[in-house]
Amino acid sequence: MDSENHQLHVMFLPYIAPGHMVPMVDMARLFAANGVRVTIITTTMNALRFQNAIDRDSRLGREIFLDILRFPALEAGLPEGCENLISTPTPEMSMKLFPALKLLRPEIENLFRERSPDCIVSDNLFPWTAKVSWELGIPRLAFTGSGFINDCISHSLELHHPHENVESEMESFIVPGLPDEIKLTRSQLPDIVKKKTGFSAMFEELKEAERNSFGVLFNSFYELEPAYSDYFREVIGRKAWHLGPLSLYYRDIEDKAERGDKSCVSKHSCLSWLDSRKPNSVLYICFGSLTRFSKAQIIEIAAAITESGHSFIWVVGKILKMMNDNDQQDESWLPEGFENEVRRNDRGLIIKGWAPQVLILEHQAIGGFLTHCGWNSILEGVSACVPMVTWPLFADQFYNEKLVTQVLKFGVPVGNDVWKIWATEESRSPVISREKIRRAICAAMDEDGEDGVEMRKRANHLGELARKAVEEGGSSYNDIKALIQDIRLYKWNNNIGLQSYDTKFVTHGPV
């Protein structure tokens, strides 16, 4: 067909949070590596987070460009330069990002109309792009920052309401109709699942936009969650492509070191310290870019690490600024004297800020990963063949934990059972004791016990499957090729007037 020789142009609109932006930029680069002309719409400060990677791709002859918009921070009541959730230390500041994004919408819509792309890849948190794509007569692909299992659990809960049949928040129940026996408690469910909230209308809009899209893109691979990939397509009835693990496509050490942002620690000093450790002897601890713990909880984490006896790398975030008795803002990183003790014993490495996580996890010295169960971290841990200690806190993290601990069984939970609405919210979070944390760490790091050996065996197997998925002929490799061909076929069918090609919104428009 004539469109075979036409270079596709695909525009990407990532959301302004690290867990969404990092994989979506990776995905845009993957499209460019497969011969597609790519444009990423972003803002000034967010562009700085991945500009170097885009420049490297351009030097390789790939057609990948940025449309950079000024972020209306001051108009929304935010400090200049505050353009990402990682820059907002409180829920109140975070909420101001929403009106700022609303102010940007007309400019973004104008860019879509001016550039006239062949496809829009939009974060699912921008549901209005479904209407724009319909008006332009082009496909919209929704990007979800989670795995298939998250959507499958959400669908079952919405359909069957099993959480309404338990008598207490801590009583467990089985999520019905899924391929595996997955147990949850009401306390682990998002508020929006249990009752109507201020976000209910927005989430209905997101689901409607997804239904009216050409399909959904996942940073996952078929072999990681095959039954849930099939469930999503066959039971929920959505068209989908799995393109991950996206971090495995980029072999350059600079790509790994700068993935998502510029690291605040030298990659050479970090790797040099790891080189001095025995294989599988170091615990890597990171709770993502948004999570902040109370001082009481950080004290327990520090004590558990010390008592476990294992070497570690701990990526820590600042505790929220509070007013002290002298009306000055005070911030604390770690328990007093802890850093000096760690430095004196040379048992650990503390990183304050953004870390080169992919490089660290891939090092042979890493033997376990204490994680918040963000989807990107799970994919990166799987790719590195690392057993996990799971500590979910908010968003989709409790559902993700069940894949690790109940389905694939290569992780140990610390035992947090309370979902909270925001990464920085402290009011709901019970303090997990040092003993619980220590036991989970030792179980995951155990190379001699039967359970530890079995977990490491499973982690190694999953890592091997992940690598095969992105290699030529692998499941994700084939899916990106198929996806590009599907976009071409859509364009060709539209050109000859067959507007009903395998999607709902082309014929009927968004509801």
Side-chain angles (χ1 to χ4, degrees):
M1 54 187 153
D2 294 340
S3 61
E4 284 286 358
N5 299 320
H6 168 77
Q7 185 185 28
L8 293 175
H9 179 206
V10 178
M11 294 187 76
F12 286 75
L13 181 60
Y15 194 69
I16 54 172
H20 292 247
M21 184 171 287
V22 171
M24 203 161 176
V25 169
D26 283 348
M27 196 173 286
R29 297 178 65 199
L30 177 61
F31 271 68
N34 278 271
V36 176
R37 179 183 174 87
V38 166
T39 302
I40 304 171
I41 301 174
T42 190
T43 64
T44 308
M45 297 304 293
N46 285 310
L48 296 177
R49 300 178 187 279
F50 52 86
Q51 182 71 62
N52 288 347
I54 302 304
D55 290 344
R56 283 192 292 274
D57 284 354
S58 296
R59 288 194 292 271
L60 291 172
R62 296 168 184 169
E63 295 197 49
I64 184 165
F65 308 94
L66 302 180
D67 270 331
I68 301 176
L69 305 176
R70 187 190 77 82
F71 191 80
L74 296 180
E75 294 91 322
L78 288 164
E80 194 69 52
C82 184
E83 303 181 9
N84 193 292
L85 273 174
I86 197 174
S87 309
T88 57
T90 66
E92 292 74 26
M93 281 186 70
S94 300
M95 292 302 292
K96 292 180 180 180
L97 287 172
F98 296 112
L101 287 173
K102 199 170 183 179
L103 291 171
L104 276 179
R105 177 175 168 177
E107 286 188 72
I108 297 171
E109 287 190 14
N110 286 337
L111 279 176
F112 286 140
R113 291 187 170 91
E114 289 171 9
R115 302 287 189 264
S116 190
D118 298 303
C119 178
I120 293 172
V121 179
S122 165
D123 193 287
N124 64 354
L125 292 175
F126 296 116
W128 52 266
T129 55
K131 183 175 185 292
V132 176
S133 68
W134 175 72
E135 290 172 353
L136 295 175
I138 60 174
R140 182 231 194 204
L141 292 164
F143 170 70
T144 172
S146 303
F148 286 99
I149 194 168
N150 174 63
D151 287 66
C152 297
I153 292 176
S154 298
H155 178 266
S156 176
L157 293 175
E158 186 177 358
L159 196 63
H160 300 290
H161 308 284
H163 51 286
E164 296 179 359
N165 301 322
V166 294
E167 296 181 358
S168 72
E169 287 289 297
M170 304 308 292
E171 182 182 346
S172 67
F173 60 87
I174 295 172
V175 183
L178 296 180
D180 301 283
E181 183 177 280
I182 291 179
K183 291 182 179 179
L184 286 162
T185 62
R186 275 180 58 88
S187 64
Q188 295 174 329
L189 301 181
D191 285 353
I192 197 170
V193 175
K194 297 186 280 189
K195 61 184 180 182
K196 289 282 185 183
T197 74
F199 291 101
S200 294
M202 184 187 79
F203 275 89
E204 285 303 317
E205 188 181 2
L206 300 183
K207 288 186 282 188
E208 187 63 29
E210 185 180 287
R211 286 192 290 269
N212 290 327
S213 295
F214 183 56
V216 187
L217 304 184
F218 287 88
N219 178 22
S220 187
F221 60 102
Y222 184 76
E223 294 79 5
L224 181 68
E225 39 178 354
Y228 298 93
S229 173
D230 293 342
Y231 184 105
F232 185 83
R233 293 179 171 104
E234 296 165 11
V235 178
I236 299 178
R238 300 279 194 281
K239 196 167 185 177
W241 297 264
H242 43 77
L243 307 180
L246 290 164
S247 61
L248 284 180
Y249 285 104
Y250 306 105
R251 310 291 185 182
D252 187 279
I253 193 168
E254 296 301 328
D255 277 327
K256 293 177 182 180
E258 295 180 0
R259 186 167 184 256
D261 208 342
K262 294 176 179 63
S263 174
C264 64
V265 65
S266 160
K267 62 180 181 292
H268 300 295
S269 63
C270 190
L271 294 179
S272 176
W273 185 86
L274 283 168
D275 286 342
S276 68
R277 309 290 141 166
K278 295 178 181 178
N280 299 328
S281 66
V282 178
L283 174 71
Y284 176 65
I285 307 159
C286 181
F287 296 99
S289 54
L290 302 178
T291 300
R292 298 294 182 269
F293 285 114
S294 66
K295 290 183 178 181
Q297 187 61 82
I298 288 181
I299 289 170
E300 293 302 300
I301 295 171
I305 295 168
T306 301
E307 292 171 13
S308 76
H310 292 285
S311 297
F312 64 91
I313 293 179
W314 187 1
V315 183
V316 295
K318 291 181 181 179
I319 294 176
L320 295 183
K321 294 183 179 180
M322 305 292 289
M323 300 304 291
N324 63 24
D325 294 338
N326 299 318
D327 292 330
Q328 294 180 347
Q329 288 186 321
D330 183 29
E331 58 184 33
S332 173
W333 286 94
L334 291 166
E336 187 176 353
F338 180 76
E339 276 188 88
N340 288 336
E341 183 68 16
V342 168
R343 197 177 296 114
R344 186 176 64 82
N345 292 332
D346 194 29
R347 273 199 47 235
L349 188 64
I350 295 168
I351 299 175
K352 299 175 180 178
W354 195 268
Q357 181 161 295
V358 172
L359 273 182
I360 292 171
L361 286 171
E362 286 182 350
H363 197 282
Q364 64 176 0
I366 299 297
F369 182 10
L370 174 51
T371 173
H372 65 313
C373 296
W375 188 249
N376 292 324
S377 288
I378 286 178
L379 264 287
E380 290 164 12
V382 164
S383 301
C385 309
V386 179
M388 297 184 184
V389 180
T390 59
W391 192 330
L393 294 152
F394 68 105
D396 60 344
Q397 294 164 11
F398 281 96
Y399 298 174
N400 298 341
E401 179 191 44
K402 306 313 173 189
L403 180 70
V404 173
T405 60
Q406 295 183 11
V407 178
L408 298 174
K409 299 178 180 177
F410 69 103
V412 182
V414 298
N416 183 41
D417 288 319
V418 180
W419 184 91
K420 58 183 185 178
I421 195 168
W422 210 258
T424 54
E425 184 190 31
E426 293 182 12
S427 61
R428 294 197 201 184
S429 298
V431 174
I432 306 297
S433 72
R434 64 189 68 185
E435 180 56 24
K436 274 189 172 182
I437 303 167
R438 185 197 65 78
R439 282 201 306 264
I441 289 171
C442 291
M445 295 289 288
D446 182 13
E447 288 196 88
D448 299 319
E450 186 177 337
D451 290 343
V453 169
E454 191 58 35
M455 271 195 292
R456 196 164 301 281
K457 189 184 299 182
R458 290 193 185 104
N460 286 331
H461 178 62
L462 289 169
E464 184 180 343
L465 294 176
R467 288 188 291 275
K468 287 181 178 177
V470 300
E471 293 172 355
E472 186 171 355
S475 57
S476 294
Y477 177 95
N478 290 339
D479 251 22
I480 183 63
K481 303 294 184 185
L483 173 57
I484 292 170
Q485 188 61 22
D486 285 343
I487 298 170
R488 287 192 184 282
L489 187 57
Y490 183 101
K491 180 180 178 66
W492 182 76
N493 280 333
N494 260 10
N495 287 342
I496 65 173
L498 297 178
Q499 293 189 327
S500 61
Y501 173 65
D502 197 20
T503 186
K504 297 172 184 176
F505 81 86
V506 174
T507 304
H508 305 295
V511 178

